[in-house]
Amino acid sequence: MSQPSSQDPARARHHSGTDADAGPGVDTGTDARAEVEARPGAEEKGDGLRERLVRTGIALVDAEGTQALTLREIARRAGVSHGAPRRWFPTHLDLLSAIAREGFAELAARVAEADREADRTDAGPRERVETLTGVYLGYAAERRGMYELMFRHDLLESGRLGLRETSLPLFARLAALVAELRPGTDPVTAAGALWANLHGLAQLRHWGSLSLATGSDDPAPFVRAALDAHLGPAEPTR
């Protein structure tokens, strides 16, 4: 899991569900839609303000990380006043949840594509778990800022925009595969332990701690060890 620091004022704002940058006396009654439609080309492209803000947030988190996602900065880069987003996102958490929701949708699409490929090759449950693991760790490495945002506890706990319900099917998929591999055990517990291992591995790689402690940044041997520990050793290939 990500480790928000109590020293980070940006994160503190996120946890409060507000954006201190907006300051007192913000005019949240700004006609945001008119403001956006007045921009050249906005109407022709069919850009609504809601979608524009989410896309801006995605680009910002990819480029600068979660600490950059203040309400004011997203609005500034979207080309609207800092009060305009309130018409579509009453709180900062609502906007962050909408951005994170796009991340879960992308990760789910990658998992679905991997499943389709596994169906074509008639892969077994162990191979499917290995593939799912690769997709998860690959996403964590490629979309670091989005990955951290998706698993922020305050967003998931708040339940804004059904974010928990968006994320749970991914875990359910892992638990279903574990149930096939370990009948008679509690698949939710086993899958949770495996996921915790993978999430920790993703974080340690990002921080550089993995290579510092082990001398290697290659996740493959650590993934194999985690899978063997939680699922049992893989059957030898014939």
Side-chain angles (χ1 to χ4, degrees):
M1 302 294 288
S2 58
Q3 297 183 342
S5 168
S6 60
Q7 303 295 320
D8 188 338
R11 288 181 184 266
R13 288 196 297 272
H14 292 166
H15 282 270
S16 68
T18 61
D19 187 351
D21 282 350
V26 170
D27 178 14
T28 58
T30 301
D31 190 342
R33 189 181 301 275
E35 182 177 9
V36 171
E37 291 178 352
R39 297 181 65 213
E43 186 174 355
E44 290 80 354
K45 294 178 182 178
D47 288 348
L49 178 57
R50 187 184 191 284
E51 291 74 20
R52 183 191 298 276
L53 290 166
V54 172
R55 286 198 306 272
T56 300
I58 291 171
L60 185 57
V61 77
D62 282 341
E64 301 184 24
T66 58
Q67 71 280 356
L69 290 177
T70 66
L71 201 59
R72 178 184 288 273
E73 184 61 13
I74 294 172
R76 186 184 72 81
R77 297 200 184 198
V80 298
S81 73
H82 54 257
R86 300 292 187 184
R87 293 176 61 86
W88 281 264
F89 302 101
T91 71
H92 193 196
L93 281 180
D94 285 310
L95 178 51
L96 295 182
S97 295
I99 296 167
R101 190 181 177 93
E102 293 299 311
F104 278 116
E106 182 187 5
L107 180 56
R110 293 191 187 192
V111 170
E113 176 57 33
D115 267 340
R116 286 191 291 270
E117 179 61 28
D119 288 340
R120 285 193 288 268
T121 61
D122 198 27
R126 172 75 181 220
E127 292 173 278
R128 290 173 184 265
V129 171
E130 292 173 355
T131 299
L132 181 58
T133 296
V135 170
Y136 184 82
L137 292 178
Y139 189 87
E142 295 167 23
R143 303 291 306 281
R144 186 65 212 177
M146 178 65 83
Y147 175 79
E148 288 192 352
L149 181 68
M150 288 161 57
F151 292 103
R152 266 184 43 173
H153 177 71
D154 58 326
L155 265 64
L156 293 170
E157 184 180 45
S158 73
R160 303 281 184 178
L161 306 182
L163 194 58
R164 278 196 303 268
E165 290 71 18
T166 304
S167 63
L168 288 176
L170 294 170
F171 179 75
R173 178 64 183 136
L174 177 61
L177 291 171
V178 170
E180 290 187 60
L181 289 166
R182 296 191 59 187
T185 64
D186 178 2
V188 172
T189 299
L194 175 56
W195 175 47
N197 236 178
L198 297 175
H199 196 80
L201 178 58
Q203 293 290 61
L204 290 172
R205 285 187 72 200
H206 173 65
W207 295 329
S209 303
L210 187 66
S211 59
L212 184 65
T214 67
S216 173
D217 191 48
D218 179 9
F222 306 106
V223 169
R224 285 195 298 271
L227 293 177
D228 289 348
H230 297 292
L231 306 177
E235 295 182 4
T237 56
R238 300 180 180 178

